[in-house]
Amino acid sequence: MEAVIHYIPYILLFALATAVIYAWGLWRSMRQQQDLSNMLSAKGVAKIKKALRKNGAMTRRDLEPVVKDLTAKQPFSREEIAVTDPKQFLDSVLPYMMKQRIIQEDRQDGRTVYRLR
């Protein structure tokens, strides 16, 4: 009987570790879509900044090929998110970049162009 009592703390620690790992995995899987979306947006912002830095002022039509085949994936996961509609992606990213004062919107020759601040 004494031998069994000796192993109870180890069994309880193992059960606790298993519960913690399970809860962490559950929390991570629940937040996975939001994390992938945030990663894709961050990659899009970086690509747009790089293109604007290289080419100067660009229109929305010029920016579409820059973000066309952009993908994001978390490490150790098969789930992946990609830009399927560049126009819709730019509709969400460009206002964010203007709000954060990364880019500015100007009118040039009757066209709307975006440039870095």
Side-chain angles (χ1 to χ4, degrees), residues 37-85:
S37 179
N38 291 344
M39 288 172 65
L40 186 64
S41 294
K43 277 181 126 177
V45 167
K47 289 276 257 190
I48 292 170
K49 281 173 57 176
K50 184 177 179 181
L52 290 174
R53 192 174 297 119
K54 182 180 177 184
N55 302 323
M58 297 175 75
T59 64
R60 183 182 288 265
R61 176 173 270 154
D62 297 333
L63 289 172
E64 285 178 14
V66 173
V67 297
K68 183 178 178 217
D69 295 322
L70 202 59
T71 62
K73 182 179 175 184
Q74 286 182 324
F76 309 112
S77 174
R78 286 185 230 162
E79 294 293 319
E80 186 176 44
I81 190 170
V83 174
T84 55
D85 185 6

Side-chain angles (χ1 to χ4, degrees), residues 8-116:
I8 289 179
Y10 297 111
I11 294 170
L12 291 176
L13 284 174
F14 181 76
L16 178 67
T18 303
V20 167
I21 291 170
Y22 177 77
W24 177 72
L26 186 63
W27 177 81
R28 185 173 174 211
S29 70
M30 288 173 44
R31 291 188 38 95
Q32 187 174 27
Q33 274 308 114
Q34 183 64 38
D35 290 343
L36 286 172
S37 179
N38 291 344
M39 288 172 65
L40 186 64
S41 294
K43 277 181 126 177
V45 167
K47 289 276 257 190
I48 292 170
K49 281 173 57 176
K50 184 177 179 181
L52 290 174
R53 192 174 297 119
K54 182 180 177 184
N55 302 323
M58 297 175 75
T59 64
R60 183 182 288 265
R61 176 173 270 154
D62 297 333
L63 289 172
E64 285 178 14
V66 173
V67 297
K68 183 178 178 217
D69 295 322
L70 202 59
T71 62
K73 182 179 175 184
Q74 286 182 324
F76 309 112
S77 174
R78 286 185 230 162
E79 294 293 319
E80 186 176 44
I81 190 170
V83 174
T84 55
D85 185 6
K87 291 179 184 178
Q88 186 179 10
F89 183 73
L90 288 174
D91 285 343
S92 67
V93 171
L94 291 177
Y96 168 77
M97 292 178 74
M98 285 188 290
K99 186 178 177 183
Q100 295 296 317
R101 298 182 175 265
I102 298 170
I103 61 172
Q104 63 187 19
E105 183 179 68
D106 293 329
R107 299 287 292 171
Q108 187 179 57
D109 300 329
R111 300 180 310 164
T112 302
V113 295
Y114 299 94
R115 67 179 78 239
L116 289 174

